[in-house]
Amino acid sequence: MSDDWDTVTKIGSKVSGGASQRETVVRGKAALNAAQRTGNIVGTEKKFATGNPASKSGVEGQRLTKVDRSDDIVPVQKVNPEIGAAIRDRRSKEPYKMTQAELAKKVNAQANDIKTLESGQAIKNQALLNKVARVLKISPKTGKALDEEPAKGSSSKK
């Protein structure tokens, strides 16, 4: 065994040479075992890769990367005014007739959120849009009613 207590074998990082003694970087299990057999002090450090969390979020992360790389101002996605009009029309019809406040209470939102959603000025909030669409039984993408019967002439039932 060596009496040199100042020699350190460090795993997982590189240190550029200088006035002090250079630390040895060992990669692999065999090299680690060889360093331990020499009797030197061996310190290990594990590196944790954080990765890019934006790459895991899908399309929105790609959009944000595009926004970061561009110099111009990218507009915020807003709700299609046609969907807002469909929500307003559906909410005013008889089986679903309710006020904005009543609809907001059913979807657990603020009445002002429903107001901006219907006016088409709301920033796109897919979760709120899905809740409203579920209550009013409309498509959250097109605003068309989901429970309307097909035209009477197209039915082949006799």
Side-chain angles (χ1 to χ4, degrees):
M1 201 160 125
S2 173
D3 290 333
D4 188 9
W5 291 96
D6 295 328
T7 304
V8 175
T9 302
K10 191 170 182 181
I11 299 173
S13 69
K14 294 181 180 178
V15 177
S16 60
S20 65
Q21 189 176 15
R22 183 171 181 184
E23 296 174 343
T24 308
V25 178
V26 178
R27 298 185 193 274
K29 191 75 172 165
L32 176 63
N33 289 337
Q36 288 174 337
R37 278 194 297 271
T38 62
N40 293 334
I41 298 171
V42 178
T44 59
E45 294 178 9
K46 179 141 178 89
K47 289 185 177 180
F48 294 97
T50 59
N52 185 2
S55 66
K56 295 180 180 97
S57 66
V59 177
E60 185 63 22
Q62 292 173 355
R63 182 175 116 44
L64 291 175
T65 302
K66 191 184 294 184
V67 169
D68 288 342
R69 290 183 182 156
S70 68
D71 291 337
D72 54 338
I73 298 172
V74 178
V76 177
Q77 290 180 336
K78 299 223 176 192
V79 175
N80 189 346
E82 294 173 3
I83 295 175
I87 291 171
R88 188 178 333 106
D89 293 342
R90 186 72 167 189
R91 182 179 58 80
S92 64
K93 287 187 180 177
E94 189 47 48
Y96 303 101
K97 192 161 184 74
M98 63 183 87
T99 64
Q100 289 177 344
E102 291 169 344
L103 178 59
K105 191 171 185 178
K106 283 189 176 188
V107 299
N108 196 20
Q110 299 290 324
N112 194 33
D113 293 341
I114 303 299
K115 178 182 168 188
T116 57
L117 191 66
E118 288 182 356
S119 68
Q121 297 299 316
I123 294 172
K124 193 166 190 176
N125 181 350
Q126 196 63 45
L128 177 62
L129 200 56
N130 288 340
K131 288 178 186 178
V132 170
R134 193 176 314 118
V135 169
L136 297 177
K137 296 183 180 167
I138 60 173
S139 168
K141 292 186 178 182
T142 61
K144 293 182 180 178
L146 298 176
D147 63 350
E148 288 184 356
E149 297 294 324
K152 291 181 181 180
S154 65
S155 176
S156 61
K157 193 176 180 181
K158 290 184 180 179

